[in-house]
Amino acid sequence: MILDHLVVAGATLDEARAQVEDALGVAMQAGGQHAVFHTHNVLLGLEDGLYLEAIAADPSRPVPDRPRWFDLDRFKGPARLSNWVVAVPDLPAALAHAPEGCGAPVDLQRGDLRWQMAVSSDGTTPYDNLWPPMIAWPSDVVHPATRLAPSGVRLRRLTLRHPSAMELQRALGAVLDDDRVAIEPGEVGLHAAFDTPHGRRTL
């Protein structure tokens, strides 16, 4: 698995967008609406083939017939960095070696983008949502990061904090090799540091 993108969730999309733009000092770009989970997003292209999405429940759509991804149905408080997503070449194979509770493949689409993502029946992931949801992009789909204008923002460090840090480290270390990702003991939390045109910024 490889790091694919970061997720900032909000009670509304305006709040999630403002959190990113105020923190990083750059403007986000248009995204769109998601079927199945009835959410919508805006996007920011990052260096090194990554991107960041701000996401929220879409108030123009009805409540979906299943819990929303990224645990959005239970989201409360200010907009914040809530998840990180990894890409895998074979989603069923990756799920076979992942912790229990990572979910099952769901076919998704936004505009002409198509992908599969593992989503659990309650919208959560293991380790208090610090385990990354897994995504698989078809070989004939152009990755979203390549469609976005450069922002000059580069992820420097993604820090996961969890009381079971050693257990999480063992589980992730077996499938992910990325020196940008650090795991530390502490209260559950997700923190990202970026190099931006305005210097070092954080989410």
Side-chain angles (χ1 to χ4, degrees), residues 56-82:
D58 186 347
S60 72
R61 304 294 304 280
V63 175
D65 59 4
R66 58 172 295 167
R68 291 182 174 94
W69 52 0
F70 304 124
D71 204 15
L72 281 172
D73 289 324
R74 298 192 301 171
F75 186 89
K76 294 180 180 178
R80 58 189 177 274
L81 183 65
S82 61

Side-chain angles (χ1 to χ4, degrees), residues 150-190:
S151 66
V153 178
R154 171 177 276 110
L155 175 69
R156 299 299 299 178
R157 176 74 59 165
L158 178 66
T159 303
L160 290 61
R161 295 193 178 97
H162 196 276
S164 301
M166 291 185 64
E167 181 181 328
L168 178 56
Q169 177 69 65
R170 285 193 296 269
L172 275 175
V175 292
L176 178 73
D177 181 16
D178 193 322
D179 58 11
R180 295 170 297 185
V181 180
I183 303 171
E184 300 176 353
E187 294 186 11
V188 175
L190 195 58

Side-chain angles (χ1 to χ4, degrees), residues 1-197:
M1 61 173 61
I2 60 172
L3 184 57
D4 189 80
H5 69 276
L6 305 178
V7 180
V8 171
T12 70
L13 186 56
D14 285 344
E15 290 179 23
R17 178 204 290 266
Q19 173 65 15
V20 175
E21 293 183 343
D22 291 348
L24 302 184
V26 294
M28 302 197 75
Q29 299 173 53
Q33 295 176 305
H34 306 107
V36 180
F37 297 109
H38 297 179
T39 54
H40 55 169
N41 70 358
V42 290
L43 305 169
L44 179 69
L46 305 177
E47 301 295 319
D48 304 317
L50 304 179
Y51 71 99
L52 185 154
E53 71 171 325
I55 192 169
D58 186 347
S60 72
R61 304 294 304 280
V63 175
D65 59 4
R66 58 172 295 167
R68 291 182 174 94
W69 52 0
F70 304 124
D71 204 15
L72 281 172
D73 289 324
R74 298 192 301 171
F75 186 89
K76 294 180 180 178
R80 58 189 177 274
L81 183 65
S82 61
N83 298 87
W84 60 300
V85 179
V86 294
V88 297
D90 185 329
L91 190 52
L95 283 168
H97 297 91
E100 184 177 353
C102 286
V106 178
D107 292 323
L108 295 160
Q109 187 168 353
R110 179 178 65 78
D112 62 345
L113 281 173
R114 296 176 290 104
W115 69 97
Q116 275 195 329
M117 193 157 178
V119 184
S120 68
S121 60
D122 64 359
T124 66
T125 67
Y127 297 98
D128 300 289
N129 290 322
L130 289 187
W131 184 270
M134 293 180 288
I135 194 169
W137 297 101
S139 59
D140 61 342
V141 169
V142 177
H143 191 268
T146 66
R147 304 179 177 205
L148 298 169
S151 66
V153 178
R154 171 177 276 110
L155 175 69
R156 299 299 299 178
R157 176 74 59 165
L158 178 66
T159 303
L160 290 61
R161 295 193 178 97
H162 196 276
S164 301
M166 291 185 64
E167 181 181 328
L168 178 56
Q169 177 69 65
R170 285 193 296 269
L172 275 175
V175 292
L176 178 73
D177 181 16
D178 193 322
D179 58 11
R180 295 170 297 185
V181 180
I183 303 171
E184 300 176 353
E187 294 186 11
V188 175
L190 195 58
H191 177 274
F194 302 86
D195 288 336
T196 80

